Amino acid sequence: MDMTNNSLMRREEQQRQQQSSNALQIKKTTTLINRYGDKNHFLAIFNPDLQAKACKFPDRCFFGDAPTLAEINTTYGDAMATMWLIPQLYDLSEYCGCKDKLQGKPLEQCASVIAGEFFYLKVSELMLFFHRFKTGRYGRFYGAVDPLVITTSLRDFIRERNDAYAIHEQEERKAREEEERRGKVLMSYEEYKELNRICEQIEAEYYMETKWNKNK
């Protein structure tokens, strides 16, 4: 009987967690659509020309509220991340000026691989990566645009990203600790008045007790 009850309780808990997860996902989807519109409007907003602006604010790229590849897939359909990556990669291919461009099936496959392997990256982070790649930060192509050079370079970018997140978390932790320290040292005016009242009461009681002892 106990085993049956435990099983039912676990099942109910799983259902509650699933309902909560579904509600959260619906909320995220609604937020993205309200902010960026339909998928065509999203593609128009986050077009390759935005890379030049993104590079000026790397912290915003890393720690801002731009959606991840996984989130745009959930919101706009499973192929959305690949669809968004194709023009980004094509723009990179054109910029590099190689004779053999990245196009057709290799272009689609490269976009699909990035969408699948790096689904946790924000679109803003990827735009920062593409801009940094254009500056020669991660090497270069020789004669042809090689998808392996792109994905290998992306792993180098992720190491930079991890370093940025580590520094950001350390700064936030220091800020929290400083705030907690100030909270322990400082008190509100109301707290000060209450402490002052208690001190005055103690002094008055001490005075009365001392006076009474002298008069005995």
Side-chain angles (χ1 to χ4, degrees), residues 11-215:
R11 190 176 304 148
E12 290 174 355
E13 179 61 25
Q14 290 173 351
Q15 289 176 346
R16 282 195 294 269
Q17 291 177 354
Q18 184 62 45
Q19 289 171 352
S20 176
S21 177
N22 291 342
L24 182 61
Q25 188 57 61
I26 291 172
K27 183 178 179 180
K28 284 183 177 180
T29 298
T30 302
T31 300
L32 282 180
I33 292 175
N34 288 340
R35 181 175 297 171
Y36 302 117
D38 62 18
K39 66 180 181 181
N40 291 327
H41 196 245
F42 180 92
L43 292 170
I45 293 173
F46 290 97
N47 68 80
D49 292 340
L50 193 61
Q51 294 173 15
K53 294 181 180 179
C55 73
K56 297 177 181 178
F57 308 99
D59 281 356
R60 189 183 298 176
C61 293
F62 288 128
F63 312 118
D65 56 3
T68 65
L69 295 179
E71 287 172 341
I72 64 173
N73 269 350
T74 301
T75 302
Y76 297 111
D78 290 342
M80 181 60 176
T82 300
M83 189 184 302
W84 176 77
L85 282 162
I86 286 174
Q88 306 290 332
L89 290 165
Y90 182 79
D91 176 75
L92 177 65
S93 176
E94 289 294 307
Y95 175 85
C96 292
C98 293
K99 182 178 179 180
D100 295 329
K101 308 292 186 183
L102 185 62
Q103 54 189 346
K105 193 67 174 178
L107 173 61
E108 293 177 11
Q109 287 179 331
C110 184
S112 179
V113 167
I114 294 174
E117 290 294 317
F118 304 100
F119 58 89
Y120 53 88
L121 291 177
K122 298 174 182 176
V123 294
S124 55
E125 292 174 323
L126 283 158
M127 298 187 90
L128 178 62
F129 161 72
F130 287 123
H131 184 273
R132 287 182 175 180
F133 192 103
K134 289 175 180 178
T135 67
R137 189 163 179 156
Y138 308 113
R140 55 174 298 178
F141 301 117
Y142 294 94
V145 178
D146 187 348
L148 288 177
V149 173
I150 297 173
T151 51
T152 301
S153 298
L154 189 49
R155 296 193 182 280
D156 292 336
F157 171 79
I158 288 172
R159 282 191 282 272
E160 295 176 348
R161 174 184 182 269
N162 292 342
D163 290 341
Y165 269 80
I167 293 171
H168 182 71
E169 288 173 5
Q170 185 177 17
E171 290 174 347
E172 284 195 330
R173 183 170 62 252
K174 285 182 179 179
R176 286 195 302 269
E177 290 173 353
E178 179 64 19
E179 182 139 355
E180 289 174 2
R181 187 189 67 78
R182 288 183 179 180
K184 290 176 182 177
V185 174
L186 302 177
M187 61 179 69
S188 67
Y189 180 64
E190 294 300 323
E191 291 172 331
Y192 167 77
K193 287 199 302 181
E194 178 62 17
L195 181 60
N196 193 53
R197 184 190 66 76
I198 293 172
C199 289
E200 289 177 350
Q201 183 179 346
I202 292 173
E203 288 178 0
E205 290 175 353
Y206 176 77
Y207 172 78
M208 294 299 295
E209 184 177 351
T210 303
K211 184 178 180 181
W212 182 80
N213 287 335
K214 285 182 179 180
N215 293 333

